[in-house]
Structure formats: structure tokens, C-alpha cells
Amino acid sequence: MSVPLPPEPIPGARLLFSLDPAVSHLNHGSFGAVPITVQRAQQRLRDEMEADPLRFFTQGLIDRITHARRHLAGFLGADPDGTALTVNATTGVAVALQSVGLRPDDEVLTTDHGYGAVDFAVRRECHRTGATHRVLRVPLSATTEEIVQIVRSGLRPGRTRLVVVDQLTSATARLFPVAAIVGVAREHGVSVLVDAAHAPGMLPATVQSIGADFWVGNLHKWGYAPRGTAVLVVSPPWRERVEPLVVSWEQEAGFPGRVEWQATADYTGWLSAPVGLYVLRTLGVDRVRAHNAALAAYGQRVVGDALGVRPADLPDPGGPTVAMRIVPLPAGLATTMDGARALRARIAERLAAQVAVNTWDGRGWLRLCGQVYNSPDEYDRLAVQLPTLLDQR
């Protein structure tokens, strides 16, 4: 079976970014890349802040944050009054976890595809409250129906208080049927927290169509916002119970203000985030999604072929707009977190390529992303050079 053709490049897209041209940036999903226009918009706001800090923080800043939040919520299909800006999805998860009010007889259900930092947060909250953390194993090859059934079978009515599930997983680039999982959990009176760190900008599903009790997503990955821009979306029954991690002067304002206002934080990233969506819309949202997904699929095939992986053994992400793909590494490589980090660093140093290397289910996986600033030859070079580097272990 031949390698699929890469997509046609989007003219001028590479010039929108200030990335080092000597490096192949094939890991947009970790920290994103901020377009130059967005960088400049944020710098203008920082200049304004430094020119008169008292005026910036005390005259209209809350209204400006509200305006930015409404713009971002509209793009995501979320209720602006139920949306709070926060610095990242992990922070949103922590806010949600502490707001649920876990008790010693409760349990939190997650899957083995969950993000490591979120797992840490769940364990800490369970340790603090006496609740139990239980992990469901979901095979990489599981169908949508099988995933829903695994969650359904894993629920323990009267015990399971919260399900935490990824919309798109970081380690395995797996798309989860979150709306169906929410429906199943609701049948049993169980709340759901959706970790949608990679969804904003990449996936077309709206927040309201999912219907989760809590939904968190990063704008600084696929939404071209400055880093430190994320949202926590909360359903109406929970909003009055949501408490910030740190209490500040908007505590009496209720949600979302009490979560957003953190005194002298740098809010310029939030205020300039709508410019990132403007860049995305100018390029064409559907066009960018289709390009990035096709490019990631191309990269997966050429690298997989170079490593001797049969096309049938290359995991399918489960959706046409997923711009991340994974390739299984040879047995014995990156089987621990330290090993994965070391291999990623070696690839960056020796091949001038930034990729993600993860450990999942006892083996190592290479994760490749596609973005408008990438070109097919970057994946081709990696495919040529990577086998030799891996043989040098």
C-alpha cells in the first residue's frame, strides 16, 4: 500500500510564525506556536500595562477580560456565563476536582489514556478527601461502542462520583466518544469532567453538544493563543459551587469572575487570544483542520514505513480532524518516562527535530503533529534519519 499524498501547503502560512527554520517543529500539541501577529498584540498590551500599571489593572480590565472570554466561548460553542478563563487545562481540572466535594466513600474513575498531570491531580484530591481513584483499561484498538461499554461497566452507582475522560488523548492521540460517555454517566447520576486540552481549534464539536458537567480546554495549542490561555466550562448546576484555587478580590462576584481574577497576574495573553482565532479564521478553520490532519497522517505513514511498521499496525486516531498521530517504537525503547524523555532529547539534539515521545501500555510511542508551518519534507527527513539513531541505542 502506497503512502498517501501530503496535502497542498497553505500559501504564506509558514511566514506567520517566528519558529527557528533550522528545526523541524513536529510537536505542536505540546506547547503550540504563537503567530507573530498575536505576539505583537500581546506585546502592545504589555507595553500598555507597563506604561501605567495602576490604570491598566483598575480601569476596565475586568470588562476587557469578560469581552475576551465571550469571544472565545462563542468560538467553542460554550455559554460565556458558564466559562472561566484560566492558565491551562490542568489548572481547570484542579479547580473542578476541588469543587466537586469528594467524600471518603466516593470514587473517581479515569482511563489509562489520561494525561499524567491530571492523574496526579486526581490522586492528590483523592488522598486529601479519602476518596478512591480507579483506572479503567481501554485498549488502543477499542471501537467507540466498546469504549462506551467499558465506561458503562466500570460505573459503580452509589460509589462513582466523577468520571474524568479525555476528549483527545495526549499519549495515544485517541479520540474518545465524550458525548456518549456523558450520556451513560448521567443515566447513573455520575458527573463527568472532560479534559479537552487539544480540542479548541482542532476539533469541530461544540462544548454545549457534549454536555459535560466540567469541560477544560487549551487555546494555546491549536487555537493560536498565547501560552497560558485556557477555559473551564461549567454546567449551570455546578457554577455556584466552583471555588478558585486562590481567593482574591472578585470572590464575591461568583463564577466565573472569582476563578479568573488572580490579582497581579499577567492577563495580556487572555486579552490577545481573540487575535489567534482571527488568524485561524483568516486561514480558514476547516482548511487548517483538514490540512493538519492530512499532514499528520502523511508523517505517520512515512515514519512508520521507515521503522518497519506495517500500515495495519499504525493506530487510527478515530477522526478525520485529528492532527496528531502516533507510531510504535521498536521494542525496548522509551518504556519508562525517563527513557522517553531521554529519547526525545536525543532526537532534538541530533536530528534537529522536535517530537513527542511517550510511554503507554509498557512500550514507547512517537507522536507527530501536523500544523500549517510544517512541510512534508520535514517528516521525510525524520524518516530517513530516525532508524539510524534508534539503532545506536
Side-chain angles (χ1 to χ4, degrees):
M1 188 180 299
S2 61
V3 174
L5 293 176
E8 289 294 322
I10 298 178
R14 177 64 181 82
L15 300 177
L16 297 176
F17 298 85
S18 55
L19 294 165
D20 183 353
V23 177
S24 294
H25 301 273
L26 307 178
N27 187 21
H28 186 88
S30 285
F31 296 102
V34 184
I36 295 170
T37 53
V38 182
Q39 296 178 40
R40 290 173 177 169
Q42 184 177 19
Q43 188 56 52
R44 287 194 295 270
L45 287 162
R46 283 173 171 157
D47 291 342
E48 177 190 344
M49 176 173 61
E50 297 306 332
D52 193 339
L54 189 63
R55 177 188 177 94
F56 182 85
F57 280 97
T58 62
Q59 296 188 25
L61 179 55
I62 292 176
D63 289 339
R64 295 169 79 174
I65 293 172
T66 300
H67 178 76
R69 182 213 316 142
R70 290 187 175 278
H71 189 103
L72 301 178
F75 175 78
L76 297 171
D79 178 3
D81 294 329
T83 302
L85 293 169
T86 185
V87 295
N88 51 41
T90 307
T91 300
V93 166
V95 172
L97 284 173
Q98 75 158 15
S99 300
V100 169
L102 294 172
R103 299 183 297 269
D105 291 336
D106 293 334
E107 73 172 13
V108 179
L109 207 58
T110 65
T111 79
D112 59 348
H113 294 251
Y115 188 58
V118 172
D119 283 340
F120 288 149
V122 170
R123 292 173 200 165
R124 186 185 72 170
E125 191 64 16
C126 286
H127 178 75
R128 189 181 70 83
T129 61
T132 301
H133 176 207
R134 192 156 55 89
V135 181
L136 296 177
R137 176 175 169 76
V138 178
L140 193 59
S141 59
T143 65
T144 293
E145 293 75 17
E146 289 169 342
I147 293 174
V148 174
Q149 184 55 43
I150 288 170
V151 175
R152 187 192 302 274
S153 300
L155 295 173
R156 298 198 290 194
R159 284 291 310 274
T160 308
R161 182 78 182 283
L162 180 70
V163 173
V164 182
V165 62
D166 296 64
Q167 189 167 346
L168 177 63
T169 67
S170 176
T172 56
R174 174 71 208 227
L175 195 65
F176 270 63
V178 287
I181 290 172
V182 168
V184 167
R186 186 155 291 145
E187 292 173 4
H188 295 83
V190 177
S191 301
V192 179
L193 164 57
V194 173
D195 179 0
H198 291 276
M202 188 206 294
L203 303 179
T206 63
V207 176
Q208 288 185 335
S209 69
I210 295 170
D213 299 271
F214 306 94
W215 186 98
V216 296
N218 290 322
L219 272 298
H220 61 253
K221 292 181 185 286
W222 305 93
Y224 297 156
R227 290 170 202 87
T229 305
V231 294
L232 164 65
V233 184
V234 180
S235 65
W238 287 100
R239 291 174 191 172
E240 290 307 310
R241 288 181 270 181
V242 172
E243 291 289 341
L245 300 179
V246 177
V247 174
S248 192
W249 286 102
E250 287 298 299
Q251 179 66 15
E252 298 302 317
F255 184 84
R258 62 171 52 161
V259 170
E260 291 176 334
W261 186 256
Q262 293 296 301
T264 52
D266 185 350
Y267 302 98
T268 59
W270 297 356
L271 300 183
S272 52
V275 182
L277 294 185
Y278 175 79
V279 173
L280 181 57
R281 288 185 171 115
T282 300
L283 292 172
V285 178
D286 292 338
R287 184 187 189 189
V288 168
R289 286 172 174 162
H291 170 276
N292 293 348
L295 193 56
Y298 172 81
Q300 181 194 42
R301 278 295 300 275
V302 296
V303 174
D305 284 353
L307 297 183
V309 182
R310 297 182 307 163
D313 294 330
L314 291 173
D316 185 338
T321 60
V322 172
M324 302 193 303
R325 295 273 183 138
I326 59 172
V327 178
L329 291 168
L333 276 178
T335 57
T336 66
M337 186 175 296
D338 287 343
R341 288 170 176 163
L343 179 56
R344 181 196 60 76
R346 284 179 61 211
I347 293 172
E349 178 183 357
R350 300 189 186 184
L351 306 186
Q354 294 290 0
V355 299
V357 179
N358 296 306
T359 299
W360 184 81
D361 197 29
R363 74 172 303 166
W365 301 84
L366 178 77
R367 192 190 73 190
L368 299 171
C369 299
Q371 189 47 265
V372 297
Y373 51 72
N374 292 130
S375 60
D377 64 283
E378 293 179 298
Y379 305 92
D380 295 338
R381 285 197 303 271
L382 180 64
V384 170
Q385 298 170 338
L386 185 60
T388 301
L389 182 141
L390 297 183
D391 285 343
Q392 296 171 351
R393 56 180 165 162

